[in-house]
Amino acid sequence: MADSSSGSTSELIWSPPPNRDPPSRLTVFRKLIAEEHAVHLDSYADLWRWSCEHPAQFWEAVWNECGIIGQKADKWEAGVSKGDALYPAPMWFKGSRLNYAENLLRHCLPSSDADRDVPAVISTLEALPDSPHDFARTVFTRSELYDRVAHTSASLRHAGIRPGDVVAAYSSNDAHSLIAALATAAVGAVWCSVAAEAGPEAVLDRFETVRPRFIFSTGAVRYNGKRYGHLEKLGAVLKRLGELDGQGVLGVVVAPGPPGGPADEPTTSDELAAALSLSAGLAKCWSWGDFLSAHSTSSLSNGSGSTFASSYPPLNFERLDFNAPLTILFSSGTTGKPKAIVHRAGGLLIQLAKEHLLHSNLQPASPSGGGGDVFFQHTTLSWMMSPWGNASLISGATLVLYDGSPLRPSEGALFDLAAQEGITVFGTSAAWLAAVKRKDLRPKELHCDKLRIRQILSTGSPLGADVYPWIRDAIGTGSTEGEGSVLVGSITGGTDICSLFAGNNVDVPVYAGEIQAPNLGMHVAVLDAATGKERPYPPLAAAQDTKDEEEGELVCLTPFPCQPLGFWPLPSTPGADSQAQHAAEERYRASYYETFGPKAWAHGDWCAWTSNGGLVMKGRSDGTLNPGGVRIGTSEIYDVVIAAAATSSKGEKQKDELGLIIACLAVGLRVPDEGKPTMAGSGDEVVVLMLVLSQPAENWEALVAKVKQELRTRRSARHVPRFVCQVGDVPRTVNGKLAEVPAKKLLNGAPRAAVHASTLANAECLDEYSRLGQELRAELVKESKA
Ligand SMILES: CC(=O)CC(=O)O
């Protein structure tokens, strides 16, 4: 089913209905802009170009169209024009004030016209094998969600949390965390979160930088059919934070874990404090139930939360400057601790409102279920997809949260959930979609009329072209248009912007293997990495100038409101160490604005335009690893391996082989497409860890097992490499810095001549990597055929 009209050979998967009634909000917006500004905007591509050329007018139009609640300064001075520098990041809507939570909760406000008995959030949990359809669901109506946030924010204030303080979660992706995040935003404090699956060391790598004043956590989690107590890990984090400056955190709230815990599991505030070994004055501890009413000392509950409804506090939203910090996201690079990326409230709000309301066309849930949207994004609290998905609340759609493995108790569990909850927009990772496609599940046949999915959103890694038709046929009705058809929205952006550069779009067709289009206001361009020359955008360029799929670096050429403010601590963070502030600012600049200078944002993604006006992602242009769509900085692996080697070799004798390791290098190896290894292939990658040893190991298998064990326990199962190989040397620059990119290219099949090695001190070691790459790719092909 190739689309011959566009000249493209890629398969058409979905098209916007020609006479949609009512038209999409994106279409209405395009016509409005055309009329107001007296310009011809006949297509989405025209609107996109206009939005990039007129950033100040465009973003003001988005504010108005999305009905942002707040005080917009009468005459805001964006001072932002096409071609302006992106660094230092410009301030937007100066003098305007708003509150992020107030905007997200707009359909829940007592003053709202919306039906407040409609479910706002449905929080679900991995089902157990003996009851595969029991997702332990808890429903919060719009008024209940509002009440919970009101109580939680009042209690946060009562506990001493003020605007600008950092509040963290080390917890599950559930309603407790969502409520805590909204309450934190309501107070004007700054939110950050790490998933409960992370080990204390990984958490401290993040929390030591941001020093949270308050922590929300959970008593236990369920994953992969098992229940794990969480208090020991939480206790280790609190202890270390207390040691850092002798102050620790002001308070800790522990939400109840999943059902099925032991009878003696601590649940009351006192029991939890005892289990966490909190000494008086170090931190105060509440059960979730007690915390809900902690603001009202006269109504302290017994831990069940039952008294909470009787003491109703007003929800005071602290309206702060548009550019005030809202949240800190952590992203690992190839060196040093994770970057603590600070996002601003107004920037994220206006960007995410645009994405959910215009690009996705999300509609408020309706009591009858007909027509309204039910939004789902599979994620953990460590991923930017958590705040991204939570922002869908702004539309009034019902938000479904899920905590647990996406493959338990069966591969199709999330489709069972989708059918049960009537999910209409279903977000997940490309790796998961590829895995269920391989099993050839037929969710539509299985769930017949109950599956209402109209959009599948995919991210984390590129979605293979072969998965698109499977989605159309197995999740949709097989048709490319109309009732039951499914828009396959591969989306790309990341932690650095907590949003999208390009993605799902209700006004643009979907072609297999392609992200539909760049998003409005995001001046995406593809630059030749060597010359910095821009590869023309096919829909707006003369035919002779465009070449399909010519690769380059993904950049953004015009400032946008959700550019991060910087890394923590910001130059404006009160009481911060000035050296740390300086280092954070320099790292921020170097992370995005070094490759092409201050006029082009670049965060390390490699991509190409297609003749349809879509985008194809080609992987990371830096050394960041991305197995199964989870980004891992190589330093997270090196730290563990090198520390294990150092500890092991300190003994009198080398007690075990770990002490033989003198250097290591980790790179991502793309999984070859259907047995055809190709550098340009889309899809997942596996991690290859190369070790340099001081002498041959007597027991190589034992050494590999120990390395894997160290990584599993000190980091996570996701950090365990698929292959561990011995090499003679690892490439280094003349300054001694590890050079992952040349090794990665060779391992992935690039010819030796195509790999620049002029900055390397030991380029001769690269030959070995070509040979190794051949062997490893052959191994993966063999496996895929087995
Ligand atoms: C939207 C994204 O880009 C998500 C990610 O891969 O981190």
Side-chain angles (χ1 to χ4, degrees), residues 383-385 459-461 491-495 499-500 629 631:
W383 201 13
M384 50 94 22
M385 296 310 289
T459 191
S461 51
I491 61 181
T492 188
T495 313
S499 60
L500 312 181
R631 286 189 193 169

